[in-house]
Amino acid sequence: MYKSILILAAIGFLGFIGTAHAQFYFGVHGGANVVQDSDLEDPLVAGAEASFDTGFAVGGVGGYRFGVNDSLSIDVEGEITYRDNALDEFEIGGADFDASGDVYSLALMANAWVNWEIGDSGFAPYIGGGLGAVFVDIDDPEIAGIALEDGDDTVFGGQVGAGLGYSLTEHVAVSLDYRFLITDDPDFDGTDAEYQNHTVLLGVRYLF
């Protein structure tokens, strides 16, 4: 039954693509990134949690905008975004310890966004999400001056988001965007760590 539904949905979407007006676009974005406090699962340390400073995110997108009608369109795109946050503290057994080091990630996502244009105002709120792979790296971590080993892992990730776009011209649009990115727990040499991000971005796109 589920396979039949997916097949019918795929046929319907391909049919829609075949009849909809499409514009290719590319864009860039950048802004602030907040990593949620991360619960750590380690066989030697119980009840550990890491916190992070606010960092930054930069990236780019490329895709197609399919016009459904005068006010509704769907964007299908590929995205690459780099996020960088510094470690702030580790909490172990209820005690807090100063920490240092950096956590980087590189997300490769396939996204779909639904846009609603508000009359002729130029404004278009949107909502959507995506799935992909996220490479996560921890570099030069230290707890209370004690150096730990670096680590990295590539995990499955997903995101949801919303925002508001504004068309400056027929071909140029700017946007204010929010993303919530969550991944499977990366494994750093036997220590599993949560990795969840809140990202606020300013973006600009060029539509051909």
Side-chain angles (χ1 to χ4, degrees):
M1 176 179 178
Y2 294 111
K3 287 184 178 179
S4 299
I5 293 173
L6 289 174
I7 290 171
L8 290 173
I11 292 172
F13 184 68
L14 290 174
F16 161 74
I17 288 178
T19 59
H21 170 68
Q23 286 180 283
F24 174 71
Y25 66 85
F26 73 90
V28 293
H29 53 238
N33 189 65
V34 176
V35 180
Q36 287 191 184
D37 292 351
S38 174
D39 290 331
L40 309 177
E41 294 185 10
D42 188 288
L44 301 178
V45 180
E49 183 180 79
S51 61
F52 306 83
D53 293 330
T54 299
F56 69 90
V58 293
V61 297
Y64 282 90
R65 172 164 293 179
F66 299 96
V68 179
N69 54 43
D70 290 341
S71 60
L72 182 66
S73 62
I74 297 175
D75 295 344
V76 179
E77 67 181 24
E79 173 195 346
I80 180 169
T81 297
Y82 172 83
R83 293 171 169 86
D84 184 341
N85 292 81
L87 284 162
D88 179 32
E89 288 185 339
F90 274 96
E91 180 182 320
I92 302 175
D96 294 330
F97 300 91
D98 289 336
S100 63
D102 291 282
V103 174
Y104 311 102
S105 72
L106 187 67
L108 303 174
M109 310 296 290
N111 302 321
W113 311 105
V114 179
N115 311 284
W116 295 272
E117 294 199 23
I118 304 174
D120 296 326
S121 67
F123 288 100
Y126 73 88
I127 191 170
L131 300 171
V134 184
F135 172 78
V136 187
D137 178 89
I138 183 167
D139 190 35
D140 297 328
E142 291 189 3
I143 302 176
I146 301 173
L148 305 176
E149 291 187 8
D150 295 349
D152 62 72
D153 196 8
T154 300
V155 291
F156 176 77
Q159 66 178 356
V160 293
L164 181 65
Y166 179 73
S167 296
L168 295 175
T169 70
E170 180 182 355
H171 296 286
V172 179
V174 294
S175 63
L176 175 63
D177 315 298
Y178 167 76
R179 304 279 187 271
F180 174 62
L181 173 71
I182 185 171
T183 74
D184 287 338
D185 293 350
D187 182 349
F188 302 124
D189 296 323
T191 299
D192 292 337
E194 292 180 325
Y195 188 66
Q196 302 178 22
N197 298 260
H198 301 274
T199 312
V200 177
L201 301 164
L202 293 175
V204 60
R205 292 183 179 184
Y206 186 86
L207 295 93
F208 291 86

